[in-house]
Amino acid sequence: MSIAIIGAGMAGAACVSKLVRQGQQVTVFDKGRSAGGRMSSKRTVQGYLDLGAQYFTARDVAFMAQCQHWLRAGSIAQWRGRLARLDDGIVVASPDESVRFVGAPSMQAPVAALLDTVSLHTGCQVDRLAFDGKRWQLFSAGVSLGQFNQLVLAIPQQQAEQLLQGAIPLNAELNSLFATPALLPCWAVNVSLAHSPWPYDGIFGETTSPLSWLARQGSKPGRCQGEHWLLHFNPAFSQQQLEADSSDIADAALQALQQLMGEPLSAKVSHCHRWRYAQQNPAFPHYGMVYRPELALGLAGDWLNGGRVENAWLSGVQLAREIAQ
Ligand code: FAD
Ligand code: NAI
């Protein structure tokens, strides 16, 4: 059986890795320059910058085993960041016992490891699908990418809806998947500071602040050393400022940082990135994954399973199991 997978993020990669082990013939397409999706670190001359996922935790036994495997292979490392939180606008220590991981030397490393032996076409945006009742045909910029017996969409909800809408009549069940937005936006800003603002590596935001997270990049292996701080804005701010200019978001980041530090800043914004589809809408139900054998179609992704890296992996693995049955 030939299977096409669109999306080489953690969900797609986990699905592919299981399918290949089952002896299936799999071809993967991703529009990005490399695999990883939202587990994305930007390469700079000074090292990587994590603009998307910051770290991940493992609660499920199977995912814990996968993390041990990646640890042994050196694709991930434990992140022992010194943690703090905002409390009424003040940064206070907030250590805990949780084990947290990061990709090494970049966030995409564990995804790349899952795709090690697979036929992966990067820089390839699938923009049209056709289904003849038996086989799926994929197209990119008017060129056919081939015909396949099964299709897996491991891409964010809104992008899956767009592709499917043009290809098949969406029944009530499929429509209900797309009725509520599953993923909310997030603005990410990297700020370089002249000196160390706090003796911490990661700071959780609070509801009264537009910032949901701040992290010192150099606390992770392979990342930019020095005082490079990554700021994430919360979903409410990010939604409200979705179409804002990067320069306005940069100013907002510097202003928020200055307010927290309580002193004039000597800082420069180096990167601003808008994630249109970033984090889980808490109101969106958990489906795990979706498999419709009559349509030879599967959907996987964090958005179907509660967000987070671990849930993306679990969604992909669960879909591979369904396809194999
Ligand atoms: P994605 O990673 O989005 O992968 C989908 C892939 O599909 C992408 O590579 C994309 O290029 C490709 N694609 C989409 N459409 C097409 C198309 N038409 N043709 C070809 N390719 C296509 N999780 C945590 O656990 N911890 C965190 O600290 C954390 N922080 C985060 C911070 C931010 C700013 C963001 C954005 C996410 C964060 N997450 C975090 C969430 C985590 O990154 C995701 O849960 C996980 O990476 C999602 O994996 P996925 O495979 O479901 O989707
Ligand atoms: P986790 O267990 O470390 O954190 C879960 C949540 O618990 C945190 O968001 C925070 O609110 C709280 N928390 C944990 N440790 C804390 C501490 N020491 N002090 C104060 N609060 C603490 O990680 P998990 O469950 O694996 O989640 C991953 C992280 O990814 C979360 O922080 C989540 O918010 C973030 N995320 C961000 C996205 C974005 O777009 N910005 C998208 C998806 C996830």
Side-chain angles (χ1 to χ4, degrees), residues 5-14 28-40 50-57 63 101 107 111 121-128 139-140 145 153-157 159-160 162-163 183-188 204 212-213 220 230-233 273-280 300-304 306-313 315-316:
I5 307 228
I6 306 177
M10 182 54 90
V28 190
F29 302 95
D30 198 291
K31 65 180 180 181
R33 263 189 289 167
S34 57
R38 279 170 278 158
M39 295 183 74
S40 158
D50 293 347
L51 297 175
Q54 296 293 298
Y55 65 83
F56 55 95
T57 58
F63 188 60
F101 300 108
M107 228 20 141
V111 176
H121 302 267
T122 51
C124 181
Q125 173 155 9
V126 179
D127 53 24
R128 189 162 73 83
F139 298 89
S140 180
L145 301 169
L153 296 180
I155 58 181
Q157 177 204 37
Q159 293 163 340
Q162 246 172 16
L163 274 182
L183 294 172
L184 307 173
C186 176
W187 272 106
F204 292 98
S212 57
W213 173 250
K220 304 177 191 177
L230 185 279
L231 275 53
H232 279 158
F233 281 100
H273 186 87
R274 177 184 59 193
W275 295 97
R276 205 175 265 282
Y277 309 119
Q279 49 200 317
Q280 191 78 2
D302 69 332
W303 65 276
L304 287 161
R308 297 170 62 245
V309 168
E310 175 177 37
N311 290 334
W313 184 88
S315 175

Side-chain angles (χ1 to χ4, degrees), residues 16 33 45-46 51 67 84 103 106 132 134 189 196 209 225 227 235 281 296:
V16 171
R33 263 189 289 167
V45 283
Q46 293 165 289
L51 297 175
C67 289
S106 71
D132 67 5
K134 270 195 169 159
V189 181
S196 169
S209 166
Q225 295 301 305
E227 294 303 316
N281 172 359

